[in-house]
Amino acid sequence: MVGQGVLRVAVVSPQEVVMRGIVSMLADYPDRVVATAVPSARSVGAGADVILYDTFGLFLGGGPELFSLLDESDAKVLIFSRDLRPDLLALAYTLGASAWISMGVHADELVRSIELTAAGEPIREPQGDRQGTMAGLTSREIEVLKLIAEGLSNQDIAEKLAMSGNTLKSHIRQTYRKIEVTTRSQAVGWARAHGLASPVELG
């Protein structure tokens, strides 16, 4: 029997090794979460507080089931994604996802993210800066990209970072080149898909 305050988590992944591995990780926190392995979103029964959804399901054509989960489920949906598949995470956001965690996080970070998701609070993804570094961005370029994703204008960013407009434009050009985008909206999408955007409130 689940104790009061313990969250019920359905782990959805088409890969058994991933699904059972995460359930095993979460088993170390029985006073906070109780996890069940579910091979398909269609198999998620009533009663789950949080659904942990593997974006690899989207690679196998799981877009409709994720959309259905996000649109119809009473449970909160937390996306978990591989660092090397930002395309799948971007697709999850397109379908309406608003909370995600990297598959590379430690168990305690995952449990905390589940608790934040259940409470409807934003998650501050700890892997974002690391992903920016993996893309070849400098710390300054990561900072600029975060501010772009927050919706600040070039003038506001330049003032906030105490740099000239020309210097900022140079940083932006280099950043866009490294992440292979050409527009501001694409840069925001990349930042969000890689955990660099400001947290989005869960509805």
Side-chain angles (χ1 to χ4, degrees):
M1 182 172 179
V2 178
Q4 187 174 7
V6 177
L7 296 172
R8 295 162 295 185
V9 181
V11 181
V12 180
S13 174
Q15 294 183 300
E16 185 176 2
V17 65
V18 172
M19 180 173 56
R20 295 190 179 278
I22 291 178
V23 169
S24 179
M25 285 173 58
L26 296 177
D28 290 337
Y29 301 82
D31 57 327
R32 298 166 68 183
V33 294
V34 171
T36 303
V38 182
S40 167
R42 293 184 294 273
S43 304
V44 176
D49 298 303
V50 175
I51 298 169
L52 195 57
Y53 185 87
D54 181 0
T55 56
F56 190 67
L58 299 176
F59 177 74
L60 302 176
E65 72 172 16
L66 176 58
F67 179 80
S68 178
L69 277 180
L70 293 166
D71 189 51
E72 301 173 6
S73 177
D74 292 331
K76 300 289 188 179
V77 180
L78 174 59
I79 301 298
F80 69 98
S81 184
R82 294 152 182 80
D83 292 347
L84 298 180
R85 290 307 305 262
D87 55 321
L88 296 179
L89 181 56
L91 176 56
Y93 271 108
T94 299
L95 293 171
S98 59
W100 81 282
I101 194 76
S102 167
M103 193 176 286
V105 299
H106 295 293
D108 58 339
E109 295 177 58
L110 177 57
V111 172
R112 180 59 180 154
S113 295
I114 290 170
E115 292 171 337
L116 288 171
T117 299
E121 297 179 15
I123 296 170
R124 294 192 179 277
E125 166 58 56
Q127 299 292 320
D129 285 8
R130 182 170 68 82
Q131 291 210 34
T133 302
M134 287 172 62
L137 300 179
T138 66
S139 58
R140 179 60 93 183
E141 289 165 351
I142 290 173
E143 193 172 14
V144 167
L145 184 55
K146 285 180 176 180
L147 294 174
I148 288 174
E150 288 179 12
L152 273 66
S153 68
N154 280 9
Q155 181 177 343
D156 290 337
I157 295 172
E159 291 177 358
K160 188 177 182 71
L161 299 181
M163 65 174 62
S164 70
N166 286 336
T167 298
L168 174 62
K169 288 178 182 178
S170 177
H171 281 304
I172 291 175
R173 282 195 300 270
Q174 289 295 326
T175 299
Y176 283 17
R177 179 182 61 79
K178 290 178 181 179
I179 64 176
E180 299 181 343
V181 302
T182 57
T183 68
R184 208 173 188 88
S185 61
Q186 289 173 344
V188 171
W190 192 98
R192 176 161 294 178
H194 292 75
L196 289 170
S198 296
V200 179
E201 293 286 347
L202 291 169

